[in-house]
Amino acid sequence: MDEVEKIIARLNGIDPERPYFDPLVVEEAVGRHARLIGFRDVTFAWAMGPQQANEELAGIDFDSSESCRWAERTKAMRDQALAELSSDEAVLAAYREAQEAAAERIADALHLEAFALTLRNLIPGEAGTRGYNVASLVTSVMRDVVASASVDSDGLEDLNEAYLPFADALMAGLGSFWIVGERFVCLPLPRLTLEDGRLVTDGRPAAVWPNGEAYGYREDGSFPALQSVEW
């Protein structure tokens, strides 16, 4: 649990106004994840703003067998872990209870909400529903890592180990990603403008990406703002 606290402290150390960005560190971390789920020939494409990501994803059939490989592989790992836990009803009940307690603890301890909100409504169409927001993903991973301490499951341990590299990727500036086969399309974290820990909603750019794409924020999502000249 001390290691969990260290990871949470490092994640909370991300500066939303000027997040650290090192694509090589991101690729190493995501590559580690890929190897742990059995992928070997991973490639990366970087989009430096949401519109660039949309262009990179244009024309992809997200229902194709190639596009579904990652989801199917990780689902198989989750199913295996759940099957292990389900073999004993008391163990499964203990894990579910631990998950609920861990969710409350993580909600209190881990503060990534602003990053989790920044891509709402920015990527249109099916691509918008098939991306993975790393802040949200890591929050779920940390919940499950905490909860897994309550049970003994090799499958659950393997699953958590496979997902933990995304914490390193987030700290190195990965904001969102999409997967087609073994190709990861990656979008960095934006720089944020916050007031009292929340995204500004007064029309000013709330999120700015490395290529200068800037977006304001309101409760129903994000909208284009004046182009930024500096990231």
Side-chain angles (χ1 to χ4, degrees), residues 99-155:
Q99 270 193 318
E100 291 182 10
E104 293 183 9
R105 176 184 171 191
I106 294 302
D108 290 338
L110 190 56
H111 307 297
L112 300 175
E113 296 89 349
F115 283 123
L117 291 172
T118 52
L119 274 183
R120 287 178 61 191
N121 301 342
L122 289 188
I123 306 295
E126 191 172 13
T129 66
R130 296 299 185 99
Y132 297 90
N133 184 298
V134 183
S136 297
L137 177 62
V138 169
T139 299
S140 296
V141 171
M142 297 310 299
R143 175 205 65 195
D144 292 341
V145 168
V146 171
S148 67
S150 66
V151 296
D152 184 14
S153 167
D154 291 339

Side-chain angles (χ1 to χ4, degrees), residues 48-72:
M48 292 295 126
Q51 289 307 310
Q52 271 190 267
N54 191 44
E55 293 167 7
E56 188 73 33
L57 298 165
I60 291 175
D61 178 3
F62 286 99
D63 291 322
S64 69
S65 58
E66 182 186 30
S67 296
C68 294
R69 284 183 63 198
W70 183 82
E72 290 174 352

Side-chain angles (χ1 to χ4, degrees), residues 113-226:
E113 296 89 349
F115 283 123
L117 291 172
T118 52
L119 274 183
R120 287 178 61 191
N121 301 342
L122 289 188
I123 306 295
E126 191 172 13
T129 66
R130 296 299 185 99
Y132 297 90
N133 184 298
V134 183
S136 297
L137 177 62
V138 169
T139 299
S140 296
V141 171
M142 297 310 299
R143 175 205 65 195
D144 292 341
V145 168
V146 171
S148 67
S150 66
V151 296
D152 184 14
S153 167
D154 291 339
L156 193 59
E157 185 175 338
D158 290 344
L159 184 64
N160 289 336
E161 183 180 359
Y163 274 97
L164 268 175
F166 285 112
D168 289 331
L170 179 63
M171 285 183 272
L174 178 62
S176 301
F177 64 93
W178 293 258
I179 309 170
V180 182
E182 298 191 13
R183 176 173 172 259
F184 284 73
V185 177
C186 299
L187 179 66
L189 288 174
R191 291 182 175 177
L192 304 181
T193 302
L194 306 177
E195 285 185 352
D196 298 323
R198 297 179 180 273
L199 292 167
V200 295
T201 58
D202 57 8
R204 287 181 292 161
V208 181
W209 270 268
N211 67 352
E213 287 185 48
Y215 296 84
Y217 177 77
R218 56 192 173 219
E219 290 303 317
D220 61 347
S222 302
F223 57 91
L226 290 175

